[in-house]
Amino acid sequence: MGRVSPLPPPGPLRTLAYATLANTVGAGLWLAGGALYLTRDVGLSATSVGAGLTVAGLIGLSASVPLGGLADRWDPRTLRAALQVGQAVVALAYLMVGSFPVFLAVAVPEALLAAGNLAVRAALVAAVGGPDGRVHAFATLRAVANLGITVGTALAGIALAVDTHRAYQVLIVGNAATYLLSAALLLRLPPQPAADGARRTPGTLKRGNRLRRGGPLRDGRFLAVSGASAVLSTHVTVLVLVVPLWMVDRAGAPPPVVSAVLLVNTVLTVLLAVRLSRGAERAAPAARKLRRAGLVLAAATPLYAVTGVLPVLPAVVLLLVATAVWTVGDLWHGAAGAGLAYDLAPPGAIGAYQGADGLVAGLAQALGRGLLTLLVLGGGPVGWLVLGGIFAAAGLTAPALTRRAVASRAAPARRPAGVPG
């Protein structure tokens, strides 16, 4: 492959990349067409669809830690393949949706499987990449995922253009088929055995040289680092929800500019995700990269703010520049957040800690949809500046929080009296 290809060289990571590509093509199909299917074809109101997805998403987060912990004790390859078969079944169940209660009955298990699968995927990436290659593997798969979602979104455009019941059915079946294809590709990977620590002490996590029960949700110092990262993770909500609304309502940009802005983010992610992930394999440098990410995201907010008072053409140009800056911060945050969540987790509890990290990020994004929209669209340019201050503060606190978390893991066990060292 050429140098610009996001696909890695032949090997297990290439196989995992193909599985990710198949899975995210389906994700692109459903992201682009799911809401229109539920409103235009099924006949649900937009408000009920939004409320149902919000409820389902919050319930789904509860699966993150349990399924992540399961991936620490079972082969994460086989577990993820099984989850994707389940997701294919649930995806097909959307064909039977005809009312809000049925929609909710399908959306909740879909969200549970999706949230759990993210934690299992993180454990599988760690197993395939190893301690020195898992952040690189994470960044590679992120680039591949962006490519897959773009392809899926383009294919969904065909169904949306036809806009018939049969076209939406084909879209749903296509989404389900990508889950099955992804599961089949995952089973081509070699088995990934559970970590020794997880097999010996299920439910007990190692902290430094001490064993401590309770899991990641009682690890306050880890959760503090995850919280700082989660605040920055709301950049996703800003880009896909707040920026488009700001562009059309405040900057006066024509709606097609929304696609151009998202395309800038996608192309830069495919080209730069792996390169900008370097140096985030260990906690201390990852924390510094997270600080840098917060400051870069903060630097982009005044650029977005100024577009609200410029003429349309300069505003569009500045929107594209701001999005390029935003994407750099986005990519630094993705790599740094992954590096911290991996390196701060005990070796036998990678999946459980990834699940906790995903839970905190999911809660931040769920709350952020309403709060960020109110802050920026209600506050105007001042709202953008306040958002920049929040991002800068989250980034600046990351190194200190990380040092505390690392110190808690490095603390030696106290030796009982009479026991030789």
Side-chain angles (χ1 to χ4, degrees), residues 122 125-126 130-139 222 225-226 229 276-290 331-346 350 353-354 357 402 406 409:
V125 170
D132 295 324
R134 54 199 179 190
V135 174
H136 168 79
F138 170 86
F222 174 81
V225 177
S226 287
S229 178
L276 295 185
S277 72
R278 293 170 186 161
E281 291 78 12
R282 297 292 177 263
R288 292 192 292 271
K289 191 179 287 284
L290 196 70
L331 294 175
W332 272 335
H333 166 259
L340 287 167
Y342 279 133
D343 202 41
L344 293 178
I350 295 289
Y353 271 69
Q354 299 305 305
D357 187 64
T402 301
V406 170
R409 280 147 180 76

Side-chain angles (χ1 to χ4, degrees), residues 251-253 257 303 306-321:
V257 174
L303 301 180
V306 171
T307 62
V309 297
L310 291 178
V312 173
L313 184 57
V316 169
V317 173
L318 191 56
L319 282 167
L320 297 176
V321 172

Side-chain angles (χ1 to χ4, degrees), residues 234-244 247 258 261-262 265 304 323 326-327 330:
T234 59
H235 63 69
V236 177
T237 299
V238 174
L239 187 65
V240 302
L241 177 62
V242 177
V243 168
M247 284 192 297
V258 174
V261 164
L262 296 179
N265 175 260
Y304 281 123
T323 301
W326 190 266
T327 302
D330 165 356

Side-chain angles (χ1 to χ4, degrees), residues 15-46:
T15 302
L16 190 54
Y18 282 136
T20 299
L21 184 63
N23 188 196
T24 52
V25 167
L29 286 171
W30 186 243
L31 284 172
L36 290 177
Y37 163 71
L38 293 168
T39 53
R40 294 178 64 84
D41 195 45
V42 175
L44 301 177
S45 69

Side-chain angles (χ1 to χ4, degrees), residues 238 241-251 369-384 387:
V238 174
L241 177 62
V242 177
V243 168
L245 294 174
W246 174 269
M247 284 192 297
V248 176
D249 294 343
R250 292 298 189 94
R369 292 186 188 100
L371 295 177
L372 293 174
T373 302
L374 180 63
L375 174 64
V376 174
L377 298 183
V382 174
W384 276 113
L387 177 61

Side-chain angles (χ1 to χ4, degrees), residues 12-340:
L13 184 56
R14 163 86 60 102
T15 302
L16 190 54
Y18 282 136
T20 299
L21 184 63
N23 188 196
T24 52
V25 167
L29 286 171
W30 186 243
L31 284 172
L36 290 177
Y37 163 71
L38 293 168
T39 53
R40 294 178 64 84
D41 195 45
V42 175
L44 301 177
S45 69
T47 302
S48 63
V49 170
L53 292 176
T54 299
V55 170
L58 291 172
I59 294 173
L61 291 174
S62 64
S64 296
V65 177
L67 283 173
L70 200 59
D72 293 323
R73 299 189 290 276
W74 288 6
D75 175 11
R77 175 208 67 163
T78 305
L79 180 57
R80 188 172 187 219
L83 289 173
Q84 291 199 315
V85 171
Q87 287 179 289
V89 173
V90 173
L92 286 174
Y94 274 103
L95 293 171
M96 299 183 291
V97 171
S99 64
F100 180 75
V102 178
F103 161 57
L104 199 59
V106 175
V108 168
E110 178 194 37
L112 288 166
L113 288 168
N117 201 359
L118 286 175
V120 174
R121 182 192 69 173
L124 179 58
V125 170
V128 169
D132 295 324
R134 54 199 179 190
V135 174
H136 168 79
F138 170 86
T140 299
L141 296 180
R142 181 173 181 189
V144 170
N146 271 261
L147 182 61
I149 290 173
T150 301
V151 172
T153 301
L155 292 175
I158 301 173
L160 300 182
V162 175
D163 196 26
T164 64
H165 176 65
R166 182 58 58 86
Y168 285 116
Q169 286 183 315
V170 170
L171 184 148
I172 290 172
V173 172
N175 180 32
T178 63
Y179 283 120
L180 296 176
L181 176 58
S182 180
L185 289 167
L186 287 172
L187 292 177
R188 296 180 60 189
L189 289 168
Q192 306 294 328
D196 289 342
R199 283 200 299 265
R200 288 195 303 267
T201 55
T204 305
L205 302 180
K206 187 172 285 188
R207 188 178 181 185
N209 292 326
R210 297 169 291 173
L211 291 177
R212 182 176 60 82
R213 292 189 179 274
L217 296 181
R218 296 185 63 183
D219 189 341
R221 296 188 179 189
F222 174 81
L223 292 177
V225 177
S226 287
S229 178
V231 170
L232 296 182
S233 75
T234 59
H235 63 69
V236 177
T237 299
V238 174
L239 187 65
V240 302
L241 177 62
V242 177
V243 168
L245 294 174
W246 174 269
M247 284 192 297
V248 176
D249 294 343
R250 292 298 189 94
V257 174
V258 174
S259 296
V261 164
L262 296 179
L263 183 62
V264 167
N265 175 260
T266 298
V267 171
L268 290 177
T269 298
V270 172
L271 295 177
L272 299 178
V274 174
R275 183 176 302 176
L276 295 185
S277 72
R278 293 170 186 161
E281 291 78 12
R282 297 292 177 263
R288 292 192 292 271
K289 191 179 287 284
L290 196 70
R291 177 177 59 195
R292 195 183 315 155
L295 295 175
V296 170
L297 290 169
T301 56
L303 301 180
Y304 281 123
V306 171
T307 62
V309 297
L310 291 178
V312 173
L313 184 57
V316 169
V317 173
L318 191 56
L319 282 167
L320 297 176
V321 172
T323 301
V325 175
W326 190 266
T327 302
V328 172
D330 165 356
L331 294 175
W332 272 335
H333 166 259
L340 287 167

